[in-house]
Amino acid sequence: MVKKLPIGVLVSGGGSNLQSLIDHIDQGTLNAEIRIVLSNNPDAFALERCRKHGIPTAVVDHREFSSRERFDGRMVEILNAAGVELVVMAGFMRILSPEFFQAFPMRIMNIHPALLPAFPGTHVQRKAVDYGVKFSGCTVHFADEGVDSGPIVIQAVVPVYEDDDAEILAARILKEEHRIYPQAIQYYAEGRIRIEGRKVHIRQPLPEAVAKETGSASPPVPVPPRSSD
Ligand code: GAR
């Protein structure tokens, strides 16, 4: 049995991405274990989802801390105590301090509802509609100290239609988020990710027989094939 990747998930709101991780774990397509879900918002619906699935949670309310560093320090303590290897930001709406990144260097993933580097920041679905782009999408990336600026793991593209509003576009993008976030984390769980500067390399999966022999993860999720141009 291949060891499950211990993850901690940071949330602030509805938690549909969290739900997709839970579902992929249940279906056996994500070899991870959610050790803790941390929310800065005591009323986040994501916490309700955890109760239903018996997943441990902690609320770290940023309003109760005198500084960002103290707030982040408390989160680091909780994540470390839970034995988390990869921190997964899933709709977490707080900016993290350099200390947080130093605690988990290149071990924090984020999902962003736009095709980075276009539209970093907030309200990006509305910004994409207002700008008149014909395509948008979502990006899974490693988080660094900049805003939505770390190395990109996977992106997915969706069309933007003339009569879209921000909500309709957000729903179309969310569907893709639910597909690519578990996939990116599975690549990480299988040890297939290598980061070189800005570039994230994803190696092809090992043949199943070798994977079994070496105790390395088996490969349910293939890297997208190159087109032969
Ligand atoms: C998702 O669209 C996610 O990409 C976005 O918040 C939403 C959370 O939805 N994250 C950000 O904008 C981070 N800057 P969820 O709570 O249903 O997963």
Side-chain angles (χ1 to χ4, degrees):
M1 179 65 190
V2 178
K3 182 184 166 272
K4 291 180 199 295
L5 174 71
I7 63 174
V9 185
L10 308 189
V11 296
S12 297
S16 71
N17 274 291
L18 167 69
Q19 187 66 51
S20 138
L21 301 183
I22 295 170
D23 294 345
H24 277 79
I25 290 171
D26 284 353
Q27 290 155 20
T29 47
L30 174 57
N31 190 34
E33 179 191 353
I34 302 176
R35 290 279 178 91
I36 186 89
V37 171
L38 264 179
S39 175
N40 66 305
N41 169 14
D43 301 320
F45 183 67
L47 295 168
E48 190 55 43
R49 296 182 193 268
C50 294
R51 262 169 234 128
K52 222 169 131 191
H53 292 272
I55 296 169
T57 59
V59 173
V60 185
D61 189 336
H62 57 280
R63 294 167 299 190
E64 290 170 5
F65 291 81
S66 57
S67 70
R68 192 182 297 284
E69 288 67 29
R70 290 200 174 162
F71 167 68
D72 284 4
R74 181 69 192 124
M75 290 203 298
V76 170
E77 269 173 23
I78 295 172
L79 291 163
N80 278 333
V84 165
E85 214 171 288
L86 181 72
V87 178
V88 174
M89 294 165 76
F92 185 68
M93 297 304 185
R94 304 291 305 168
I95 290 179
L96 296 165
S97 61
E99 287 77 9
F100 192 92
F101 292 103
Q102 280 150 24
F104 299 98
M106 284 301 142
R107 289 197 288 128
I108 306 168
M109 272 191 197
N110 183 39
I111 187 143
H112 181 74
L115 288 177
L116 292 171
F119 306 117
T122 54
H123 308 297
V124 296
Q125 300 93 336
R126 184 168 48 71
K127 286 175 188 163
V129 167
D130 290 350
Y131 198 92
V133 294
K134 302 297 184 196
F135 291 94
S136 188
C138 48
T139 304
V140 178
H141 64 97
F142 285 99
D144 64 9
E145 291 180 25
V147 177
D148 301 319
S149 59
I152 291 170
V153 185
I154 311 183
Q155 295 184 299
V157 179
V158 304
V160 182
Y161 300 115
E162 279 180 18
D163 54 354
D164 277 351
D165 59 20
E167 255 177 36
I168 289 176
L169 178 60
R172 192 176 303 125
I173 292 172
L174 253 188
K175 255 187 158 169
E176 292 302 303
E177 295 186 35
H178 299 162
R179 186 175 66 79
I180 67 169
Y181 213 4
Q183 188 175 27
I185 299 166
Q186 177 64 14
Y187 289 155
Y188 190 98
E190 292 175 3
R192 288 165 57 193
I193 287 184
R194 181 170 58 83
I195 307 169
E196 204 180 3
R198 282 218 52 83
K199 300 255 177 88
V200 174
H201 302 277
I202 300 164
R203 85 170 152 69
Q204 289 296 331
L206 294 174
E208 200 139 356
V210 179
K212 266 190 197 141
E213 212 167 276
T214 59
S216 205
S218 62
V221 190
V223 178
R226 295 172 82 104
S227 64
S228 54
D229 48 358

